[in-house]
Amino acid sequence: MNKPLNPSDLARPSECLCHIEPGELPPLPPPYEDFNQTAIPPLKPDKIKNIEASLDDTVAIGIPKPANKQEEEELVRRFLAGLQKLFEKNNNWTFLQPLMLSMEHCAKCQTCSDACPIYEMSGKKDIHRPMFRAEVLRRIYNKYLKPGGKITAKFTGDIDLNWTTIARLAELSYRCTLCRRCATVCPIGVDNGLINHEIRKLFSQEMGIAPKEIHDKGTVQHLRVGSTTGMTPAAAKDSMEFIQEEMEEITGSKVEVPWDVEGADILLLHNAGEMLAWPENVGAFAIIFQAAGLSWTLSSEAAGYDAVNYGLWYDDVQFSRVAVRHADIARRLKVKKIVVGECGHAHKALTVIADRLLTGDLNIPRESAMVTLEEIVLKGKIKLNPSRNNFPVTLHDPCNIVRAMGIVEPQRRILRKIAPKFREMTPHGVMNYCCGGGSGFAIMSGYNFAEWRNLVSSRKKFLQILEAFKDEPREVPKYVCAPCSNCKGAIRDIIGYYSAEERSRLYYGGLVELIVNAMADMKKPMIRFGDEPSWTS
Amino acid sequence: MGFYILSYLCIAVFALATLYRIYRQMTMPVHVRWEIYPVQHETSAKVAYGGSYMEEIDWWEKKQEKSLLGELLYMVPEILFIRGLWKENRGLWWVSFPFHFGLYMMIATVILLLGHAGFTLWGSTVFSAGSTLRTLLDGFIAVMGWGGLILGNIGSLGLLYRRWTDAELRNYSSPVDYFNLLFILLFFLSALVSCLSGDPFLEGAKAYVMGLLTGGHPLNAHVPGRSISGIVAIVSASLLVAYIPLTHMSHMFMKYFLYHNVKWDDAPNRRGGGIEAAVRKNLNLRPTWGAKHVGADGQKTWLDIASSAPTEEKK
Ligand code: SF4
Ligand code: SF4
């Protein structure tokens, strides 16, 4: 049942503030109706007895409950101290202006709600309205940090502040993928995605609260070991050797992988997850760059072979450290530009957000691989045989590349050239829907979070993919092109969760795989549909 | 004279609050980029699908084609006609548009009234009774005033009705949201009643504005004591003028900053440029964030902290 929830309800005692009943989620079309009654598997009581788990049916962070009243008061005090810092220039110059503008001007018109895929796909649960968490923060700020706030709160919107409010708010900040679709439609220009980003920052930068996949195993490990995958420089080189061999089977000739070439034109930065989960993506880049005769290199320095920057999602300090590392590696290699591979958040992190952080010789030009690849494919630098990609292809737009960077057409111009059966999703481009794995969700799977993601946050994308291929017979293999590691991870999980390979013959992969698959002088296809090669010679 | 003093005070509050809001925006530290596409100052070909200069190979070697006109061409109809709402939330637009447009028409009416008073004070024959200019201005004032009052009444009643009856809106509305709408409705309604009760050409308003310009000089000043509705209209209008910039309703003009300074702020940081200088200044700020991993002590700067990795990023 959809019992309306008000922002002040976040403080209300309840075992589960927002529960989704089976059948409440928007229906899936055939042959997936059997999922329509699927519920998010209940959290195991022994696993959650000591953590905050009363927001909804899942847990993203797992914040330990305070042991006593004193500890609770201390946590509330630290939360308020952090909230204050969000509005201070020395602490938050990075986002002060956007945050204040968004905090002060919302008209509560709810236009943003319908734009949010999580709100829609949760069965329109109030807590998933984009402005819900923003309004919670606004009310706390107005009441507890503004002079006379306790009195004005009666008129402007009240909320109680206790540990439950705070811990639920922390959890709630991990029910939004920061896709910023809501910000696109707000008539005033308010950005609830941004406010959510700031909430996450407050928790991380002041209270040290963040999902372990993003912080401990993410940025901390990245800076310590060299990659969020845990891969050391030696391991990265090893895996590239293995990938090289695999690629040579496809090309039938030697594939060079240049490492640490000083003075190369391009430093290519990959999401290191590709090397482990989708080695063919990394290999395909090597094949294309070699065939096009580019001067390029990879870096084997710690962090230099992993383009990710999880700090983008939750922590400006960690963000800055990773970005500076990346730039410094490029500086010392004396490359002309950095090209960011198929990783959406790495695109936005290094190209856009870090732009106003990197100064002097750290400010090395940065370019999207979509653009570099377009130059190669459309200027005829490689020989192509597009008929090899004679299967239905649709394109997923990673929010960070498209909505946040305006890189929309290069990848499309490539696809129009190499994929004769390319079709768009609806909507697409800057109005696309997130894959559901954005802002760290794709790598978060503690408790039952992965199920929540597949059932709720990725549901809209799944519906869009099915819609794009609805006129194709079931037995025809279909390719979802997702030029982003995180999105690929989320799409892989949807396909697996809904058995969509078996039921609809859905496959997925990146853009470079499609390009190599259409290269005229390849000996073997790069893309396979299960055991079936995508073309035979 | 009391009414005039109230009006002057309210205008002063309006000016101070608006200037303060704008000043605050102008003096904010340069923030990191957070643009969202489509960015309306891009070339029209790119605006059509939301593309950016970053779609170009080696974009940093090219001159960025930027058209402020493009921004304005988007912004003006956005502010005047609330195009965003028309596109995304049509149901609400039907009440929100008359409400906002009614307010804009009232602002335009005040500007026309000021013009009227100015010409009258000038005393030239071109503005003598029966002159074309005067007849035209009288006509404009009547049309603008009546139009604004009718739309404003429909809009504020409609918005109140929607906020009250639509559970989606009601659930998130606080007393102040109703108060704001009632306040604005009070002005629209009283002004409409005032015009309906024998003042179709807004003569009372003309006289009052004239009085405002002449410091309430008894020869020119209009004392709105003849009707309760006239008093309410003048008092509520004055208070509204002071109140709007103190609240979120300032979005009517602050929207410019939300769009121009955030959504569309895609200016790249070029070596040796103004943005770089501002960023360097920011990097010298000293954060005090409390989490251990940050390592802030109130002494270390952002630069120290961002470079606190083992490599020699520090410059
Ligand atoms: S954020 Fe914008 S769209 Fe959403 S409720 Fe506020 S004003 Fe309306
Ligand atoms: S950023 Fe995306 S997921 Fe988050 S509230 Fe906005 S639309 Fe929803």
Side-chain angles (χ1 to χ4, degrees), chain A residues 127-284:
Chain A
I127 63 163
H128 296 304
R129 286 178 186 277
M131 61 82 77
F132 189 94
R133 48 181 93 69
E135 186 59 17
V136 169
L137 195 74
R138 209 172 272 127
R139 288 188 184 190
I140 297 175
Y141 182 72
N142 288 341
K143 179 170 176 184
Y144 295 93
L145 290 177
K146 275 197 174 167
K150 297 228 165 80
I151 300 165
T152 53
K154 301 276 172 268
F155 307 99
T156 55
D158 207 350
I159 191 161
D160 285 337
L161 188 58
N162 50 37
W163 169 243
T164 313
T165 324
I166 294 172
R168 281 180 180 159
L169 181 62
E171 272 295 331
L172 189 54
S173 69
Y174 288 89
R175 301 292 185 279
C176 151
T177 63
L178 308 179
C179 76
R180 298 173 69 211
R181 204 168 183 274
C182 52
T184 311
V185 305
C186 172
I188 291 166
V190 171
D191 187 340
N192 286 318
L194 166 87
I195 294 180
N196 194 46
H197 176 257
E198 298 300 287
I199 296 174
R200 289 184 178 192
K201 270 168 52 183
L202 183 178
F203 281 106
S204 178
Q205 293 174 194
E206 186 65 15
M207 304 173 79
I209 293 174
K212 62 179 184 322
E213 294 94 334
I214 295 182
H215 186 67
D216 299 334
K217 293 186 185 168
T219 56
V220 172
Q221 178 164 240
H222 195 182
L223 290 163
R224 201 185 58 236
V225 180
S227 166
T228 55
T229 58
M231 212 179 350
T232 60
K237 279 187 128 172
D238 274 356
S239 55
M240 270 317 284
E241 262 177 48
F242 166 76
I243 294 168
Q244 232 169 319
E245 283 165 25
E246 296 264 297
M247 293 304 109
E248 283 165 5
E249 284 198 19
I250 290 171
T251 57
S253 58
K254 184 111 191 87
V255 176
E256 303 285 351
V257 175
W259 284 102
D260 305 313
V261 182
E262 222 180 273
D265 288 350
I266 292 171
L267 167 64
L268 178 61
L269 284 184
H270 286 299
N271 178 325
E274 299 278 357
M275 296 188 202
L276 300 176
W278 304 284
E280 62 283 0
N281 182 276
V282 180

Side-chain angles (χ1 to χ4, degrees), chain A residues 102 105-113 130-131 138 182 185-192, chain B residues 85 251:
Chain A
S102 280
H105 297 103
C106 172
K108 303 181 201 165
C109 70
Q110 297 297 346
T111 306
C112 48
S113 293
M131 61 82 77
R138 209 172 272 127
C182 52
V185 305
C186 172
I188 291 166
V190 171
D191 187 340
N192 286 318
Chain B
L85 207 62
H251 66 235

Side-chain angles (χ1 to χ4, degrees), chain A residues 459-475:
Chain A
R459 196 182 192 89
K460 189 75 187 178
K461 185 51 55 178
F462 185 45
L463 283 167
Q464 267 197 298
I465 294 172
L466 295 177
E467 177 69 20
F469 291 130
K470 71 170 190 302
D471 296 329
E472 296 293 341
R474 192 212 75 84
E475 62 283 1

Side-chain angles (χ1 to χ4, degrees), chain A residues 4-7 82 85-86 89-91 93-98 100-102 104-111 113 119 126 129 131-132 154-157 180 183-191 194 204-208 215 301 315-318 320-321 324-325 328 331-332 337 348 351-353 355-367 371-372 374-375 402-410 430, chain B residues 21 24-38 46 49-60 78 82 84-85 88-89 92 163 168-177 247-251 254-255 257-259 261-263 265-271 275-276 279-283 285-295 302-303 305-315:
Chain A
L5 282 175
N6 187 280
K85 289 177 192 174
L86 281 183
K89 178 174 160 179
N90 62 319
N91 280 308
W93 63 269
T94 44
F95 286 92
L96 185 62
Q97 187 175 32
M100 287 184 77
L101 283 166
S102 280
E104 289 175 4
H105 297 103
C106 172
K108 303 181 201 165
C109 70
Q110 297 297 346
T111 306
S113 293
Y119 171 65
D126 279 309
R129 286 178 186 277
M131 61 82 77
F132 189 94
K154 301 276 172 268
F155 307 99
T156 55
R180 298 173 69 211
T184 311
V185 305
C186 172
I188 291 166
V190 171
D191 187 340
L194 166 87
S204 178
Q205 293 174 194
E206 186 65 15
M207 304 173 79
H215 186 67
E301 194 176 316
D315 190 305
D316 287 348
V317 173
Q318 294 295 84
S320 312
R321 287 174 171 154
V324 167
R325 275 277 192 106
D328 191 51
R331 176 181 69 88
R332 281 181 283 110
K337 64 182 172 190
K348 175 163 119 180
T351 319
V352 175
I353 310 292
D355 192 40
R356 295 196 183 155
L357 180 75
L358 303 172
T359 56
D361 55 3
L362 281 183
N363 187 359
I364 293 153
R366 299 160 312 270
E367 181 171 282
V371 176
T372 323
E374 183 194 7
E375 179 82 0
V402 175
R403 188 156 37 247
M405 283 182 73
I407 297 179
V408 185
E409 272 297 308
V430 290
Chain B
R21 274 193 186 266
R24 218 170 41 146
Q25 293 308 317
M26 312 287 265
T27 52
M28 285 271 175
V30 158
H31 57 84
V32 296
R33 278 168 58 188
W34 193 250
E35 72 257 31
I36 191 160
Y37 289 85
K46 288 203 188 292
Y49 64 84
S52 78
Y53 61 87
M54 287 173 283
E55 287 188 324
E56 306 298 320
I57 191 106
D58 297 334
W59 59 262
W60 50 92
E78 172 56 46
I82 334 184
L85 207 62
E88 307 293 343
N89 193 349
L92 195 60
R163 203 161 269 287
E168 204 183 7
L169 295 179
R170 192 179 53 222
N171 200 27
Y172 296 89
S173 302
S174 43
V176 77
D177 296 315
T247 69
H248 81 271
M249 293 187 284
S250 56
H251 66 235
M254 292 305 286
K255 207 166 168 174
F257 292 99
L258 280 140
Y259 279 72
N261 286 40
V262 183
K263 268 182 103 164
D265 179 7
D266 62 348
N269 171 15
R270 299 199 190 261
R271 283 193 203 176
I275 293 177
E276 181 173 83
V279 170
R280 281 187 198 274
K281 240 165 97 186
N282 290 344
L283 288 173
L285 294 167
R286 297 168 202 280
T288 59
W289 289 107
K292 239 196 212 143
H293 70 268
V294 175
W302 274 90
L303 184 63
I305 289 173
S307 331
S308 58
T311 41
E312 76 295 0
E313 287 93 356
K314 207 168 179 176
K315 293 188 290 94

